[in-house]
Amino acid sequence: MDAQGRGQAGDDNVDPADQWVFDPNTGNYELRLDPTGQGPARPADRKAPGRRSARNPGAGGGDTDTRPLPVQRGRRKDDADEPAAGGRAARRAAERAGSAASGGAAAAGGVAAGRRRPKPKKSGKRKFVYWTAGVVGFVLVAGCGTAFVIYQQLDGNIKKVDVGEENSAVTDGPVNLLVIGTDARTGKGDAGYGDSGSVGHADTTILMHVSKDRTNATALSIPRDLITDIPDCPTKQPDGSTKVIPGQQHVRFNTSLGQEGRDPGCTWRTVEKLTGVKVNHFMMADFNAVKDLSNAVDGVEVCAGKDIDDPKSHLKLTAGRHVVKGEQALAFVRTRHAVGTGSDLSRIQLQQQFVGSLIRKLKSSAFSSPSKLLDVAQAATKALTVDTGIGSASKLMDFGNDLKKVDLNKITFATVPVLDNPQDKATVILDEAKADPLFKMVQQDHTLSKDAGKDKGGKKSAPVKKAPPELVRVDVTNGGGPFGAAQETVDWLQNNKGARLSTNAGNAPEKLSATRLEYAPNQADQAATLAEWMGLPKSALKQTTADAGARVPMKLVLGKDFTAPGSPIEAPTETPEGVQHVNADDKNICAK
C-alpha cells in the first residue's frame, strides 16, 4: 500500500476486511495486499493436509480430481463468475458436484473443502477481531484530549512533516513522544474556538515518556503560557529547501509552533531545551480530533465537582458525572473560566481527566465492536500529523503495539510545575526547584506512578523522620565538584534552606566520582533532610556504626557528579512534593 493513498489504482471497491485471508495451513488469517486481494497461488506440489491422491485406488473415483479448489477470499464481485479462479460460483458449483458424486470421491472432496473453508463465524466480526487483536495500541493526543487505535488500511489518512529526525518507530530504549494539540480551526463549526487564519499554535502539549521496560509511562503537560526560550529552528520549505527560523528568548511556549512559520520540529527542539529529554517522535492534531473521536466512541465520561456554566466555551454541566461528545466534549477540554483558578493550569487538569477516561474506555472489554474500532481508527488517522519516522500506518501500528504494553494504572499524568510571572500575570515561569528533579526523573527513566514507593509485598515504605533545618549540622568539602562548589553549597544551605549549622571544610583529601554523605545512626533524621535537599541517591548515604557526639557534624563530600546546589545528584524515586500528578485509572477525579 502506498503511503500517500489507500491502495493501488483501481482497487477502490476492495473491502479492506476481505484482504485478510484464511490460511488453512496455519489456521490463522493473513493480510494479502496484492491488487486483487488474492493470496499467493498454491504451490502445485504441495497437497492439502489429509488430501489423498485421486489416483489412489483407495480414494475411489477416476483419474481426474474434480474436487473444488480452496476458497480464495477477497475477490471482487465481478470476479465471481470465474470458477477456475476459485470464486464463489466455483465453490457453489463444486459443492453441488460434490453432493452428486459417489463413494469415496465425494467424501474426500468434502474433507478437503471443509478444511479450507473458514467457519462462517470468522468471516465477519470475528475476522475483524483477529485483525485488531495484535495491533491495538493507544497514543495520547493531549491537545485534543484523546487516544486512538491504528490500522493498516488507513495509511492515506496520515499527514507527516519532515522535522530533520528519522528515528525508528520501535526502539529498545525509553520512548519520548511529543503530543501537540493546536488551536487551529480547520473545519466547520469551530467559530468559537481557535485562532482564525493561523496554522495553529502549541495550545496544549504533553511530553509522554514510556519507560525502557514498558512497565510505566509519564505524561508531562507543558503550560502554553510558560515563558521559555525557543532555539533556532531549521524548517523544510515547500520547494525542498531548508530555512532556519531564528530563536527567541523569554517568550510564551505556545509560540514555538505557527509563529514565524515554525513547524512541529521547533516545538520538538523547545521541549528538549526546556526538559533535557531527547524526543523520539511527535504527533499533532487540531480541535476537530476531540469532536470526531469522542463521537466515534459514543462519548466519554467526565465528572464535574460543581455546576459549570462557562459562557466562553459554552459548557453547561451540573455537578456529577456526564457523558460528553462532539462539541460538548470539545467545550469540556477547552473550558477554564468556570473551574479552578480560571487559568490554563485548571484546563490542563480537565484535559488529563478526559484523556484518562477515554483511555479506560478504549482499553475496556466492552469496547470491542469492530465497527466502533474502525470509526476510531478513521477519526484518529484523519486528525493526525506525525514525523516521518512514524509516517505510515505500518510504522504507527508497530509504534502503538509497542506502547500498548503499559498497564493503565502505571500511566501517570503530571503538570510541569510553574510560578506566577511577577512581570506578567497572564504568563507563568518555571518553578525550577520542583521542575528540575521532575525532569531528571524522566531523563533517568524513573516512574511517577503512585505505586513506586511500595515494596514487593505491596506495602508502602515507612517514611523516614526528618530533622528541622536549624538542627542540620554538616561539614561540606569539595572532592571533585566544580571550583568553589563547597562554599557555594554552604551559602545555598544557609540562605535557601535555613541550615545555619553548615560549614565549608575546604577541599577533601581525596577525589570522589560520586558524592557521599557520612552520618551516625543518631543523625539519620538530619541525613534524611539533607539528602532530600541535595537530591542524593541511597548509594550516597554512608552510615557509621557508632552514634556521634552532640556537636559533631555530618560529612558531605561533593564528588564529580555534583553540578550545583539545588540540582539533584540523581533523580528522586518519588514525585517531588507539590507536583500535580494523577494516575490514568483514577475514576474519582472531578473538575472543581
Side-chain angles (χ1 to χ4, degrees):
M1 179 171 291
D2 186 83
Q4 304 301 321
R6 300 188 182 186
Q8 301 291 339
D11 284 349
D12 293 339
N13 295 324
V14 176
D15 184 353
D18 284 341
Q19 290 182 301
W20 288 83
V21 183
F22 183 79
D23 187 338
N25 298 307
T26 64
N28 296 322
Y29 285 87
E30 296 181 356
L31 182 63
R32 307 292 170 84
L33 293 178
D34 48 9
T36 63
Q38 300 179 37
R42 182 182 57 175
D45 58 347
R46 190 176 68 185
K47 299 176 182 177
R51 179 175 178 174
R52 290 175 294 176
S53 171
R55 297 182 181 274
N56 186 338
D63 291 341
T64 303
D65 186 354
T66 60
R67 289 168 292 181
L69 291 172
V71 177
Q72 293 181 324
R73 301 299 305 267
R75 297 188 61 82
R76 294 194 295 266
K77 293 181 179 180
D78 56 353
D79 290 339
D81 58 347
E82 299 179 21
R88 293 180 181 177
R91 188 178 67 197
R92 294 192 185 104
E95 288 173 349
R96 289 194 296 269
S99 63
S102 60
V111 170
R115 291 183 177 176
R116 288 167 173 78
R117 186 183 308 118
K119 295 180 180 180
K121 291 183 179 180
K122 295 182 181 179
S123 63
K125 175 179 177 180
R126 190 69 176 275
K127 179 171 65 175
F128 199 104
V129 173
Y130 275 133
W131 175 21
T132 62
V135 299
V136 173
F138 74 90
V139 180
L140 303 179
V141 182
C144 303
T146 190
F148 58 85
V149 290
I150 301 166
Y151 297 92
Q152 176 74 38
Q153 304 299 323
L154 304 170
D155 215 19
N157 291 344
I158 303 167
K159 299 175 287 293
K160 51 183 178 266
V161 174
D162 184 354
V163 296
E165 298 280 352
E166 190 73 28
N167 298 321
S168 299
V170 178
T171 176
D172 292 333
V175 174
N176 295 304
L177 171 67
L178 184 63
V179 188
I180 306 170
T182 78
D183 57 3
R185 296 179 356 188
T186 58
K188 297 179 179 179
D190 296 328
Y193 308 100
D195 186 3
S196 180
S198 170
V199 294
H201 299 104
D203 188 61
T204 310
T205 305
I206 282 184
L207 176 61
M208 181 180 176
H209 169 81
V210 182
S211 66
K212 179 179 180 179
D213 59 8
R214 305 297 187 263
T215 61
N216 63 87
T218 297
L220 281 182
S221 293
I222 302 175
R224 67 173 190 180
D225 297 325
L226 173 65
I227 296 300
T228 189
D229 295 339
I230 300 175
D232 293 346
C233 178
T235 60
K236 286 291 183 69
Q237 303 301 302
D239 61 2
S241 64
T242 298
K243 176 184 177 181
V244 177
I245 301 175
Q248 289 181 283
Q249 286 71 46
H250 308 298
V251 295
R252 292 188 189 221
F253 174 84
N254 71 337
T255 60
S256 64
L257 178 68
Q259 201 83 3
E260 307 296 333
R262 295 188 177 104
D263 67 8
C266 299
T267 306
W268 178 318
R269 292 172 176 84
T270 301
V271 170
E272 288 186 336
K273 181 178 178 62
L274 173 69
T275 65
V277 177
K278 183 68 176 176
V279 175
N280 301 99
H281 301 287
F282 87 86
M283 292 184 176
M284 182 174 70
D286 62 22
F287 286 154
N288 288 319
V290 71
K291 295 191 296 184
D292 294 342
L293 285 161
S294 60
N295 283 329
V297 300
D298 288 332
V300 176
E301 184 180 74
V302 297
C303 180
K306 63 177 183 179
D307 292 348
I308 298 176
D309 187 357
D310 186 352
K312 296 283 188 179
S313 67
H314 311 294
L315 178 68
K316 290 186 178 182
L317 290 177
T318 57
R321 297 190 177 275
H322 302 269
V323 174
V324 297
K325 60 181 178 179
E327 289 287 349
Q328 192 178 34
L330 178 57
F332 183 83
V333 299
R334 292 293 301 160
T335 196
R336 62 185 176 94
H337 296 284
V339 295
T341 62
S343 69
D344 184 55
L345 299 178
S346 298
R347 179 168 59 185
I348 286 175
Q349 295 180 30
L350 295 182
Q351 293 167 345
Q352 292 174 348
Q353 179 195 153
F354 186 89
V355 172
S357 180
L358 183 51
I359 294 174
R360 290 195 299 272
K361 187 162 189 179
L362 287 171
K363 280 180 167 281
S364 69
S365 58
F367 190 72
S368 58
S369 165
S371 62
K372 287 298 178 186
L373 287 171
L374 185 57
D375 288 345
V376 173
Q378 286 281 8
T381 52
K382 287 179 179 178
L384 269 183
T385 299
V386 301
D387 61 282
T388 53
I390 50 174
S392 69
S394 60
K395 291 179 181 178
L396 277 171
M397 281 203 309
D398 292 340
F399 187 62
N401 202 37
D402 186 33
L403 299 192
K404 75 169 186 177
K405 300 172 186 176
V406 182
D407 290 335
L408 186 61
N409 64 344
K410 294 298 176 65
I411 303 172
T412 306
F413 295 101
T415 303
V416 171
V418 295
L419 301 168
D420 289 335
N421 185 1
Q423 306 299 323
D424 179 8
K425 294 299 183 181
T427 61
V428 293
I429 58 175
L430 194 66
D431 185 347
E432 295 184 5
K434 296 175 182 177
D436 287 348
L438 178 63
F439 293 157
K440 191 156 285 189
M441 288 187 74
V442 178
Q443 293 166 13
Q444 299 184 19
D445 203 19
H446 289 195
T447 179
L448 270 66
S449 171
K450 292 180 179 179
D451 296 330
K454 296 182 180 180
D455 58 23
K456 293 182 180 179
K459 298 180 180 179
K460 192 171 183 179
S461 303
V464 178
K465 181 181 178 181
K466 296 181 177 67
E470 63 271 15
L471 297 183
V472 175
R473 187 186 298 269
V474 60
D475 282 351
V476 183
T477 58
N478 191 351
F483 180 79
Q487 185 58 51
E488 185 182 5
T489 300
V490 169
D491 291 342
W492 180 77
L493 289 171
Q494 293 184 354
N495 298 328
N496 293 63
K497 297 300 181 182
R500 302 298 182 185
L501 300 179
S502 55
T503 306
N504 179 3
N507 291 325
E510 60 177 333
K511 299 294 184 181
L512 300 179
S513 59
T515 298
R516 183 174 66 199
L517 174 63
E518 295 181 3
Y519 65 98
N522 61 336
Q523 295 173 325
D525 57 343
Q526 298 181 50
T529 299
L530 185 60
E532 182 181 76
W533 290 344
M534 301 289 294
L536 301 178
K538 291 182 178 180
S539 59
L541 306 182
K542 306 297 180 184
Q543 181 176 292
T544 60
T545 56
D547 284 347
R551 295 180 179 273
V552 175
M554 299 182 293
K555 296 180 180 179
L556 176 64
V557 184
L558 306 177
K560 294 180 180 179
D561 59 350
F562 177 82
T563 56
S567 179
I569 304 299
E570 186 176 65
T573 56
E574 294 187 4
T575 308
E577 187 176 350
V579 174
Q580 178 270 337
H581 65 293
V582 296
N583 275 23
D585 66 340
D586 191 342
K587 302 178 182 178
N588 300 314
I589 302 173
C590 289
K592 297 180 180 180

